[in-house]
Amino acid sequence: MAELHVELVAADRKVWSGEASLVVARTSSGDIGVMPGHQPLLGVLKPGPVTIRTTGESGGGTVVAAVHGGFISFADNKLSLLAEIAELSEEIDVQRAERALERAKSEADAAAERRAEIRLRAALASAH
């Protein structure tokens, strides 16, 4: 099975690195799926969940991350996701994110509300 090497990096740390068969991310042009052999790509990441279908010796799995802006680049079966902020779903405290969402709604803070919604979607997506 063909694989692509994926690096998900936030401004402050390397979030995830490994082999994958498919990565789905939201760009300024819409949602995109990248598989091995994809055409070279450079785009702007929009806030949203990123889903990585992993491969490896133990079989495939799924990694989900909440990404808040950045860039996506693909060439030579290497995909780089360079995010302003990125959190793996298992790093997200669902109750804390729910409280942040409620607080943002009560304060009418649309940007904070959007960030909290993305974090919740990423956390809940990996629970399924």
Side-chain angles (χ1 to χ4, degrees), residues 5-6 10-11 22 36 41 44 51 69 71 74 92-93 97 103 112:
H5 184 73
V6 179
L22 171 68
L41 157 74
V44 176
T51 303
F71 297 94
F74 180 78
I92 298 169
D93 180 331
R103 189 170 46 254

Short mmCIF file of all heavy atoms in Angstrom, two decimals, residues 5-6 10-11 22 36 41 44 51 69 71 74 92-93 97 103 112:
data_model
loop_
_atom_site.label_atom_id
_atom_site.label_comp_id
_atom_site.label_asym_id
_atom_site.label_seq_id
_atom_site.Cartn_x
_atom_site.Cartn_y
_atom_site.Cartn_z
N HIS A 5 4.19 10.63 3.80
CA HIS A 5 4.72 11.04 5.09
C HIS A 5 4.06 12.36 5.48
O HIS A 5 4.02 13.29 4.69
CB HIS A 5 6.24 11.19 5.04
CG HIS A 5 6.81 11.53 6.38
ND1 HIS A 5 6.90 10.59 7.40
CD2 HIS A 5 7.25 12.69 6.89
CE1 HIS A 5 7.39 11.18 8.47
NE2 HIS A 5 7.61 12.45 8.19
N VAL A 6 3.54 12.42 6.71
CA VAL A 6 2.79 13.59 7.18
C VAL A 6 3.51 14.21 8.37
O VAL A 6 3.93 13.51 9.29
CB VAL A 6 1.35 13.20 7.60
CG1 VAL A 6 0.59 14.41 8.10
CG2 VAL A 6 0.62 12.54 6.44
N ALA A 10 2.69 22.82 14.75
CA ALA A 10 2.11 24.09 15.20
C ALA A 10 3.26 25.08 15.40
O ALA A 10 4.44 24.71 15.34
CB ALA A 10 1.36 23.87 16.51
N ALA A 11 2.91 26.31 15.65
CA ALA A 11 3.93 27.34 15.83
C ALA A 11 4.89 27.01 16.97
O ALA A 11 6.07 27.35 16.92
CB ALA A 11 3.27 28.69 16.09
N LEU A 22 -4.30 8.72 3.81
CA LEU A 22 -5.22 9.80 3.44
C LEU A 22 -5.20 10.87 4.52
O LEU A 22 -5.19 10.55 5.71
CB LEU A 22 -6.65 9.25 3.30
CG LEU A 22 -7.78 10.27 3.12
CD1 LEU A 22 -7.68 10.98 1.77
CD2 LEU A 22 -9.14 9.60 3.27
N PRO A 36 -1.41 9.37 -1.38
CA PRO A 36 -0.12 9.21 -2.06
C PRO A 36 -0.27 9.45 -3.57
O PRO A 36 -1.27 9.05 -4.17
CB PRO A 36 0.25 7.76 -1.77
CG PRO A 36 -0.45 7.45 -0.49
CD PRO A 36 -1.75 8.20 -0.56
N LEU A 41 0.92 20.56 -4.16
CA LEU A 41 -0.13 21.41 -3.62
C LEU A 41 0.47 22.41 -2.64
O LEU A 41 1.38 22.07 -1.88
CB LEU A 41 -1.15 20.51 -2.90
CG LEU A 41 -2.05 21.07 -1.83
CD1 LEU A 41 -3.14 21.91 -2.46
CD2 LEU A 41 -2.67 19.94 -1.03
N VAL A 44 -3.81 27.43 1.76
CA VAL A 44 -4.05 28.05 3.06
C VAL A 44 -5.02 27.16 3.84
O VAL A 44 -6.09 26.81 3.33
CB VAL A 44 -4.65 29.47 2.89
CG1 VAL A 44 -5.00 30.07 4.24
CG2 VAL A 44 -3.67 30.36 2.15
N THR A 51 -8.20 15.26 9.54
CA THR A 51 -8.28 13.82 9.78
C THR A 51 -7.16 13.13 9.03
O THR A 51 -7.00 13.34 7.83
CB THR A 51 -9.65 13.28 9.32
OG1 THR A 51 -10.69 14.00 9.99
CG2 THR A 51 -9.79 11.80 9.62
N GLY A 69 -5.95 27.60 11.38
CA GLY A 69 -5.22 28.38 10.39
C GLY A 69 -3.82 27.87 10.13
O GLY A 69 -3.25 27.12 10.91
N PHE A 71 -0.89 26.65 6.81
CA PHE A 71 -0.62 26.31 5.42
C PHE A 71 -0.51 24.80 5.25
O PHE A 71 -0.15 24.09 6.18
CB PHE A 71 0.69 26.95 4.94
CG PHE A 71 0.64 28.45 4.97
CD1 PHE A 71 1.10 29.14 6.08
CD2 PHE A 71 0.11 29.16 3.92
CE1 PHE A 71 1.04 30.52 6.13
CE2 PHE A 71 0.04 30.54 3.96
CZ PHE A 71 0.51 31.22 5.07
N PHE A 74 2.19 19.87 -0.24
CA PHE A 74 2.41 18.47 -0.60
C PHE A 74 3.30 18.40 -1.83
O PHE A 74 3.04 19.05 -2.84
CB PHE A 74 1.08 17.76 -0.89
CG PHE A 74 1.28 16.31 -1.26
CD1 PHE A 74 1.54 15.37 -0.28
CD2 PHE A 74 1.21 15.90 -2.57
CE1 PHE A 74 1.74 14.03 -0.61
CE2 PHE A 74 1.40 14.57 -2.92
CZ PHE A 74 1.67 13.64 -1.93
N ILE A 92 -7.57 17.39 23.93
CA ILE A 92 -8.64 18.35 24.19
C ILE A 92 -9.53 17.86 25.33
O ILE A 92 -10.05 16.75 25.29
CB ILE A 92 -9.49 18.56 22.91
CG1 ILE A 92 -8.59 19.15 21.80
CG2 ILE A 92 -10.69 19.47 23.19
CD1 ILE A 92 -9.24 19.16 20.43
N ASP A 93 -9.70 18.71 26.31
CA ASP A 93 -10.60 18.45 27.43
C ASP A 93 -12.01 18.87 26.97
O ASP A 93 -12.29 20.06 26.83
CB ASP A 93 -10.15 19.26 28.65
CG ASP A 93 -11.02 19.06 29.87
OD1 ASP A 93 -12.24 18.79 29.71
OD2 ASP A 93 -10.50 19.21 30.98
N ALA A 97 -13.75 22.57 26.78
CA ALA A 97 -14.12 23.14 25.49
C ALA A 97 -15.60 23.51 25.47
O ALA A 97 -15.98 24.54 24.91
CB ALA A 97 -13.80 22.16 24.37
N ARG A 103 -19.23 30.14 27.18
CA ARG A 103 -18.75 31.47 27.56
C ARG A 103 -18.66 32.36 26.32
O ARG A 103 -19.08 33.53 26.35
CB ARG A 103 -17.38 31.35 28.23
CG ARG A 103 -16.85 32.61 28.85
CD ARG A 103 -15.61 32.41 29.71
NE ARG A 103 -14.58 31.57 29.11
CZ ARG A 103 -14.31 30.31 29.47
NH1 ARG A 103 -14.98 29.73 30.45
NH2 ARG A 103 -13.36 29.62 28.87
N ALA A 112 -14.00 33.22 19.27
CA ALA A 112 -13.81 32.24 20.34
C ALA A 112 -14.82 31.10 20.21
O ALA A 112 -14.49 29.94 20.47
CB ALA A 112 -13.93 32.91 21.71
#
